[in-house]
Amino acid sequence: MAQVVLDHVTKVFDDQVMAVDDLTLTVGDGEFIILVGPSGCGKTTALRMLAGLEKVTSGRIAIDGRVINDVSPRDRDIAMVFQNYALYPHMTVFRNLAFGLRQRKVPSREIDRRVHEVSEILGLDELLKRRPAQLSGGQRQRVAMGRALVREPKAFLLDEPLSNLDAKLRVQMRAELKRLHQRLGVTTIYVTHDQVEAMTLGDRIAVLSGGKLQQLGPPQDVYDHPVNVFVAGFIGSPPMNLLRANAVNGRITAGDLQLDIPGLADGDVVVGVRPEMLRPAGDGLPAVPFTVDVVEPLGDEIVVHGTVAGRLAGSGADDQIPATGSGAELATVTARFDPQLRPTVGDRIPLRIRPEAVHVFDARTGEAIR
């Protein structure tokens, strides 16, 4: 196990594309941290710099206090699991697991011990004589993880390892990954664009956009207290509803919605409300008329997409927050209802909104105000 530090790390490619911009991040000994963000945000590049597969343009990377910027990948004592498994098709599972150890001239007896120890942990004992073509996707993923674990590395890097699996298998493998980390306690850095993986797996999540770190913290804290419009619109499935609004004398107006938030400075703002905080009105709380467009029954809940009077807000910190429609503008919002409700397309439902559940962001900078 090890502490991993990225200190003001920047990566600029030859075509002057800024992939990672001044990233500072400390991963504690034995911590499981998630790098999450949309495609092109720099998360995989950061992982590849840690592994030594990309050169750092500026800044430093250290493991247990030792700067490794110029250390070759094989000497960093880091193991990486790739998205496409990268197994040797002509080798058995045993030989795939043992390959890295043989390259390092580890004695045969020690190789046998480590391989059988890891295969027992991952449930691969019955598969050691098979080749990758004879394995399912989940089994191949476990072999790829086992090949990394058998080296007993200081840190474990995973680059979207579950993205090639079907939905059911992804749920299984998420649980296995979490149990494995709890059992072994290896420092783990995990890259994904999947918010569910980020929320369920990590001790902390680091949200990236445009190469910059937007927010770092425990998953629930990031979900409950997004620091800007980008994080609010990215974390959560379905994402937070974001509407352009105006604040005057402590009252926010967003289309038909009016909310009193004392102490709020006058000016243009963005109002954010999570889908689960929207419920049919009936208890005297502020409400907004909602027209149902699409209904998605999911068994334990119903996700409803519809429109309200208002202007839709962008989710980028530098967005100008474009309006939709003209005249009586309409914005698309999403709500989550209990399964007992049976809304149909075209229904008009007054949605209540609790003022304490509303997030408020500066419309110009995108930063959180409340």
Side-chain angles (χ1 to χ4, degrees):
M1 293 187 291
Q3 182 189 70
V4 177
V5 176
L6 292 90
D7 184 20
H8 297 285
V9 171
T10 294
K11 174 63 179 179
V12 182
F13 287 104
D14 292 339
D15 52 5
Q16 300 307 304
V17 172
M18 179 80 75
V20 176
D21 186 1
D22 197 31
L23 176 61
T24 294
L25 179 66
T26 298
V27 185
D29 190 2
E31 185 177 17
F32 196 131
I33 198 163
I34 307 286
L35 304 184
V36 64
S39 296
C41 72
K43 56 189 185 295
T44 294
T45 301
L47 202 71
R48 288 173 63 84
M49 285 191 291
L50 270 168
L53 303 178
E54 298 285 356
K55 294 288 288 183
V56 175
T57 303
S58 64
R60 68 184 188 97
I61 298 175
I63 297 179
D64 280 344
R66 176 196 178 203
V67 177
I68 60 168
N69 287 39
D70 298 319
V71 176
S72 68
R74 66 175 296 163
D75 296 326
R76 294 190 178 200
D77 201 10
I78 285 177
M80 188 166 180
V81 176
F82 297 91
Q83 180 179 345
N84 61 357
Y85 315 139
L87 301 178
Y88 297 106
H90 63 290
M91 294 185 182
T92 64
V93 169
F94 183 96
R95 289 179 64 199
N96 266 284
L97 293 174
F99 181 80
L101 300 179
R102 285 181 172 150
Q103 292 296 104
R104 288 167 176 76
K105 310 298 184 185
V106 176
S108 296
R109 184 173 296 179
E110 177 66 8
I111 290 175
D112 286 346
R113 183 192 69 78
R114 290 198 202 178
V115 167
H116 284 98
E117 187 177 274
V118 167
S119 70
E120 182 181 354
I121 291 171
L122 294 174
L124 299 173
D125 284 345
E126 303 300 319
L127 309 175
L128 292 177
K129 295 182 179 180
R130 297 188 190 179
R131 288 183 169 81
Q134 299 170 296
L135 305 178
S136 68
Q139 290 168 338
R140 291 180 196 178
Q141 187 59 69
R142 279 185 281 158
V143 174
M145 290 168 53
R147 190 175 57 187
L149 283 172
V150 78
R151 289 176 48 193
E152 299 179 358
K154 286 185 175 180
F156 198 21
L157 310 181
L158 299 101
D159 186 10
E160 303 201 44
L162 308 185
S163 59
N164 291 334
L165 306 181
D166 61 54
K168 182 178 180 181
L169 201 49
R170 288 178 78 147
V171 173
Q172 277 184 282
M173 289 302 298
R174 280 205 309 267
E176 285 193 32
L177 274 171
K178 197 150 191 173
R179 279 194 292 267
L180 191 61
H181 182 260
Q182 290 168 350
R183 179 171 177 176
L184 301 177
V186 178
T187 303
T188 303
I189 302 169
Y190 186 108
V191 161
T192 184
H193 64 272
D194 188 308
Q195 301 159 50
V196 176
E197 289 179 19
M199 292 293 295
T200 56
L201 283 173
D203 298 321
R204 289 188 299 160
I205 62 176
V207 185
L208 280 74
S209 176
K212 287 182 173 291
L213 178 64
Q214 301 292 318
Q215 188 168 356
L216 173 67
Q220 197 62 47
D221 285 357
V222 173
Y223 185 86
D224 291 337
H225 307 290
V227 299
N228 58 35
V229 170
F230 173 80
V231 176
F234 184 78
I235 296 295
S237 183
M240 182 183 289
N241 299 298
L242 298 166
L243 299 174
R244 181 71 179 266
N246 184 256
V248 178
N249 296 326
R251 168 161 286 197
I252 288 179
T253 302
D256 290 334
L257 175 66
Q258 291 192 336
L259 293 169
D260 290 322
I261 301 181
L264 192 65
D266 292 356
D268 291 334
V269 296
V270 174
V271 172
V273 185
R274 293 284 182 196
E276 61 269 24
M277 295 301 176
L278 296 174
R279 290 287 187 271
D283 51 9
L285 289 168
V288 58
F290 172 76
T291 302
V292 176
D293 292 335
V294 177
V295 179
E296 297 179 332
L298 299 177
D300 59 336
E301 66 178 1
I302 297 175
V303 175
V304 184
H305 306 273
T307 55
V308 300
R311 289 180 291 168
L312 192 67
S315 61
D318 298 322
D319 286 352
Q320 294 303 306
I321 311 182
T324 59
S326 60
E329 294 168 312
L330 296 177
T332 301
V333 302
T334 303
R336 298 169 77 167
F337 292 165
D338 293 330
Q340 293 78 15
L341 297 174
R342 294 285 189 266
T344 58
V345 174
D347 284 354
R348 285 180 60 82
I349 302 171
L351 293 181
R352 64 171 170 80
I353 299 174
R354 294 186 178 276
E356 64 271 18
V358 171
H359 299 262
V360 183
F361 306 90
D362 186 293
R364 183 179 60 84
T365 66
E367 298 302 310
I369 298 173
R370 175 185 182 274

